[in-house]
Amino acid sequence: MYRALKDAGKNVQKIELSGEDHYLSHGPTRLQALKATIDFVNKNI
């Protein structure tokens, strides 16, 4: 999905969360993902 959006010229950022699962089970990486989401929304809306 990242590559398709990037190729389409969309503003997209990819973050990799080492050792994390799809449920964001680990607090530090969950916080990292949420901060990235908030930053993206604030920048693009």
Side-chain angles (χ1 to χ4, degrees):
M1 180 180 270
Y2 171 79
R3 177 59 51 204
L5 289 169
K6 196 74 166 168
D7 290 346
K10 303 298 181 182
N11 183 11
V12 61
Q13 179 183 7
K14 178 181 175 184
I15 59 170
E16 294 190 26
L17 305 172
S18 298
E20 189 54 89
D21 57 26
H22 286 151
Y23 303 106
L24 297 173
S25 296
H26 301 95
T29 50
R30 182 182 314 122
L31 186 58
Q32 181 184 357
L34 291 172
K35 284 181 179 180
T37 302
I38 290 167
D39 289 344
F40 180 84
V41 169
N42 286 334
K43 183 178 177 184
N44 294 287
I45 293 184

